[in-house]
Structure formats: C-alpha cells, structure tokens
Amino acid sequence: MSQDMKQAALDYHEFPRPGKISVELSTSAESAQDLALAYSPGVAEPVREIAKDPELAYRYTAKGNLVAVITNGSAILGLGDLGPLASKPVMEGKSLLFKKFAGLDSIDIEVDAESPQAFIDTVARIAETFGGINLEDIKAPECFEIERVLIERCNIPVFHDDQHGTAIVTAAGMINALEIAGKELSEASIVCLGAGAAANACMKLLVNMGAKVENIYMLDRKGVIHSGREELTPEKAAFATETDKRTLDDAIDGADVFVGLSGPDLLSAEQLAKMAPTPVVFACANPDPEIRPELAHATRDDVIMATGRSDFPNQVNNVLGFPFIFRGAMDVRASAINEEMKAAAVRAIAELAKEPVPQEVLDAYELDSLEFGAQYIIPKPTDTRLLGAVSGAVAQAAIDSGVARLPLPDHYPLTTAADLK
C-alpha cells in the first residue's frame, strides 16, 4: 500500500470523528412525556411483558434487528493474532457493512479471552441481547469448536463468516465458472491450497452442492492431505484422499479447479499450464493472490479467474452474502443458519449473475456493459438486487427446513433498504 493510501486509511478512521459507527435514537426523546415512557416509569411495562413472554423482546426492543460482530482477534485479516483491541477497526467495518447493505444494526464486541472455552462462555452469556451473532477473525482450529458449541447453546443464528460467508460466495462463483467452462461440479477435479477455516468450509459446501470428496485434493503446509497422514484434525481428516499425490505440483496436473486460500505467489505459471482445458482459478489470498491475474491470463488464454481483490473482475467478496443471509434469517426469526439456507444463498447469488446488469452497477464501475461470462461470474457488491434475492431465498429456506419461527414477512420480497420495517 502506498504511503498516500496508508494515510488516507488512517484519516478515514479518525475524521470527522473516530471510528466508523455510532448509536442513533429510533424514537422521540424530546419531551418530559417521551422520557417518562423511555425510562422510568414507562419502561416497566415492556419489562413486565417480556418477563411473562421472552418472545416479546422482539416486539418491544431492538433485539430483532441487532447483530453482534464478535472476535477474539486471533486471526485478523491476513495480519494474524494481534489481539482483540487491534481487531476493533475490522469489526467496526463489519458493522458498517451490515447497516449499509442490509439495514441491520450492529455492534462490535472484542473479547479478551484466555481460552476458547472462556470465549464461548462470554458470548453465550451475552447472546440474549442480540438477534444474531457474526463470529469473525477467529483462528483455526479453535473456530470450529467455538462455532459448534455456540450454535448448540444459543437459540439465535450464529455464523462464522470467515468460514461460511467465504464458502457461499466461492461456491456461487464456482458453479457459474464451471457452467461457462462446460463442466459439472460433480465431475470436477479440485485442488484446494490451504486447510484453514475458509478452505474447510469452502470444500464442505462444494461437497454439499455436488462435488465429490474423492475429487478434492486439499493441501496444508505439509502437502497433500492424504489417507496415510497421521495426527490430522477432524476437519482435515474429512478431506484425506486416497492418493499417491503429495505436492501441489502433483495435484495440479490435470486439475479442473484451483482454489487458493493460502498466501501470495504459491501457484506458478508452470503449474497453471498443467491444468485441464478451461481451468477455473480462484486465487483468493489477500491482498496478494496465489497467482496474479496478469500472469494467469498471459499463461492461459482459456483460464476463468477470480480473486479477493476489487481491482480485478470476479471479486470473491463476503459482502455479497453475510448482510443478506442475516437479514433473511432474522426476518423469519430463524433459530440457526443451516445447510439448506447456505445452499439457498449460493443459488441466489449464482442466478443473479445471469440477469441483466442494472445501469447503476455499470456506472459504479465505469463500464459500458457487463454480462454473464468469464469476466463476470458473480454479482458486484453494489448490486442492490442482492438484498431481495439473497434475503428472500434464505428466509424461504429457513421456513422450508423448519428453523423459522415466523412466516415470510409481508414486505418481502425486498427491493431496497427502504422496504425494511
């Protein structure tokens, strides 16, 4: 990052006032009567009602539109374990995105916990406050246990976005890329470089969408995760393939798909050249991908390429998913975000990329035209149709799978944030 960009980032976070979020009042507080209703003595009435029926908290408080963004700061972006306080700008940023894209109020919570169990206990004890919990920037393998236990202990949606948000957007783009390449997910040979939280979730979701485990070669720092390896975590063991492939060079030979969730410049031009015709390459390491798009396209004119960066086509960006997934889940008061809801989000995002692109999106990216194809396999983050498409699909999937407590709201399908009630 240039010095000018560094300073601009610091200025953005400092001015006109420090931070990126604030609290605003949602009702009148001007008169003595207002204050008497807002606090004592009037506030006693909703207190009594909620004590009799806890579900009335959704009627009389902000709970139903409030998401907690919670971290222990153990895996901040690509910066590593810098502690909970250092993660606060990232968590505030996530809260900003919830509000901007889905109209959800959100507060960031940074937990200084001495152990995963302490973190779990802290989050579980404050969960009553919120309508949903977004876990963020928690390192593997602890994140798997943290999310699993919190889902069991809480009766509101708990969602680790680094795992499932990445997986949902990746799967949507992957399905479209393979369609363009004339290939089936069920038959594709997939190489996944990386075996952390995002990689595990991506591969698990692709399997749920139709990929075959025996066609997936996952690699960690020691190479291919195969059935002969010992001391594998349960998450890695699920992808331990019966194979004699041991290195990336072995696995990439003839592969249809490369998914990179690892580090910069780890896929060489020579390795890309060994892939099958019309290879699909998702090089998602940020800010520097496993292979630069310029190098990939210079090496293969048939490659379909995606990265995690906004300055190249086909950005795998979690903001395409998580705001709208929570919106849909919370609007039908789902008790969890299950596999059916994730799959519904995948399909909604994938299908939206096939529809004509609105002029406002073209204007935002200074483009004359954009249509479904190798340079456009997933929607742009500024596409306002995501709100209605994804939230509606997720809400309906929650109802169909039996985790919703409310029917589809009358104001669905959503078209803009102004539809939110």
Side-chain angles (χ1 to χ4, degrees):
M1 188 182 294
S2 69
Q3 192 59 42
D4 286 347
M5 187 62 175
K6 289 179 182 178
Q7 189 58 52
L10 293 174
D11 289 346
Y12 177 88
H13 285 79
E14 184 177 2
F15 304 108
R17 55 189 286 188
K20 297 192 286 285
I21 59 174
S22 66
V23 174
E24 61 182 25
L25 301 184
S26 60
T27 191
S28 175
E30 301 303 317
S31 67
Q33 173 73 356
D34 289 339
L35 298 180
L37 294 173
Y39 202 58
S40 183
V43 74
E45 296 312 311
V47 169
R48 292 188 181 102
E49 294 301 310
I50 294 168
K52 289 187 288 186
D53 180 2
E55 285 296 300
L56 291 177
Y58 288 94
R59 181 174 179 178
Y60 295 122
T61 77
K63 177 182 172 75
N65 200 59
L66 186 60
V67 178
V69 179
I70 307 183
T71 188
N72 61 6
S74 60
I76 306 173
L77 298 176
L79 303 174
D81 186 351
L82 300 181
L85 186 57
S87 74
K88 188 169 176 62
V90 183
M91 301 306 111
E92 285 189 358
K94 202 66 178 281
S95 293
L96 178 152
L97 296 173
F98 269 116
K99 187 68 172 182
K100 170 67 176 176
F101 288 99
L104 285 165
D105 295 320
S106 177
I107 190 70
D108 63 295
I109 299 174
E110 294 76 34
V111 180
D112 187 2
E114 68 274 13
S115 67
Q117 189 59 52
F119 181 86
I120 289 168
D121 290 341
T122 299
V123 176
R125 285 171 178 148
I126 64 173
E128 289 276 21
T129 307
F130 306 100
I133 292 174
N134 182 105
L135 300 174
E136 194 80 12
D137 287 1
I138 303 169
K139 68 182 175 122
E142 290 90 339
C143 64
F144 302 119
E145 178 71 4
I146 286 171
E147 185 191 43
R148 184 187 66 78
V149 175
L150 284 173
I151 288 172
E152 292 174 355
R153 290 180 61 175
C154 301
N155 64 353
I156 58 174
V158 176
F159 185 83
H160 184 202
D161 188 51
D162 297 311
Q163 290 186 62
H164 311 299
T166 303
I168 286 165
V169 179
T170 297
M174 185 65 62
I175 288 169
N176 282 346
L178 287 170
E179 179 180 326
I180 294 164
K183 300 179 182 182
E184 296 289 336
L185 180 60
S186 60
E187 299 173 358
S189 173
I190 301 170
V191 174
C192 179
L193 185 59
N200 184 272
C202 284
M203 294 305 106
K204 181 180 177 182
L205 185 55
L206 286 177
V207 169
N208 289 347
M209 301 299 296
K212 298 290 195 300
V213 173
E214 57 267 28
N215 292 340
I216 295 174
Y217 301 96
M218 182 181 284
L219 294 92
D220 60 10
R221 289 181 176 86
K222 296 180 180 179
V224 173
I225 296 171
H226 59 86
S227 56
R229 289 215 3 212
E230 298 179 352
E231 298 181 355
L232 292 173
T233 64
E235 291 75 25
K236 290 183 181 182
F239 294 98
T241 309
E242 188 79 37
T243 181
D244 58 1
K245 300 177 188 291
R246 295 294 181 264
T247 67
L248 176 58
D249 208 48
D250 295 336
I252 205 70
D253 193 3
D256 297 297
V257 173
F258 171 86
V259 178
L261 294 155
S262 50
D265 303 321
L266 295 178
L267 180 70
S268 69
E270 292 76 19
Q271 289 166 334
L272 173 59
K274 293 169 63 176
M275 293 182 70
T278 322
V280 175
V281 174
F282 279 42
C284 296
N286 258 330
D288 300 311
E290 285 80 1
I291 185 169
R292 295 282 300 183
E294 305 95 323
L295 177 57
H297 289 295
T299 304
R300 298 284 299 260
D301 60 10
D302 61 343
V303 67
I304 300 174
M305 180 86 187
T307 71
R309 293 176 55 134
S310 61
D311 52 347
F312 294 108
N314 301 327
Q315 183 192 17
V316 178
N317 189 333
N318 288 21
V319 79
L320 298 176
F322 72 83
F324 319 113
I325 293 165
F326 271 91
R327 180 81 270 166
M330 291 170 62
D331 283 347
V332 294
R333 208 172 296 167
S335 59
I337 296 172
N338 59 25
E339 295 306 313
E340 292 88 346
M341 295 159 72
K342 295 172 194 173
V346 171
R347 290 189 288 268
I349 295 168
E351 288 302 313
L352 188 58
K354 299 177 183 179
E355 298 180 10
V357 179
Q359 187 62 46
E360 63 183 16
V361 175
L362 298 178
D363 292 345
Y365 289 86
E366 300 181 349
L367 297 171
D368 294 326
S369 64
L370 192 61
E371 61 183 27
F372 183 63
Q375 297 297 301
Y376 180 62
I377 60 174
I378 38 181
K380 299 290 190 182
T382 58
D383 195 328
T384 56
R385 298 173 301 172
L386 285 160
L387 174 62
V390 181
S391 62
V394 168
Q396 189 61 56
I399 293 168
D400 294 342
S401 62
V403 297
R405 298 169 190 151
L406 296 177
L408 205 64
D410 292 340
H411 58 283
Y412 269 51
L414 299 169
T415 55
T416 70
D419 293 333
L420 302 173
K421 298 179 180 179

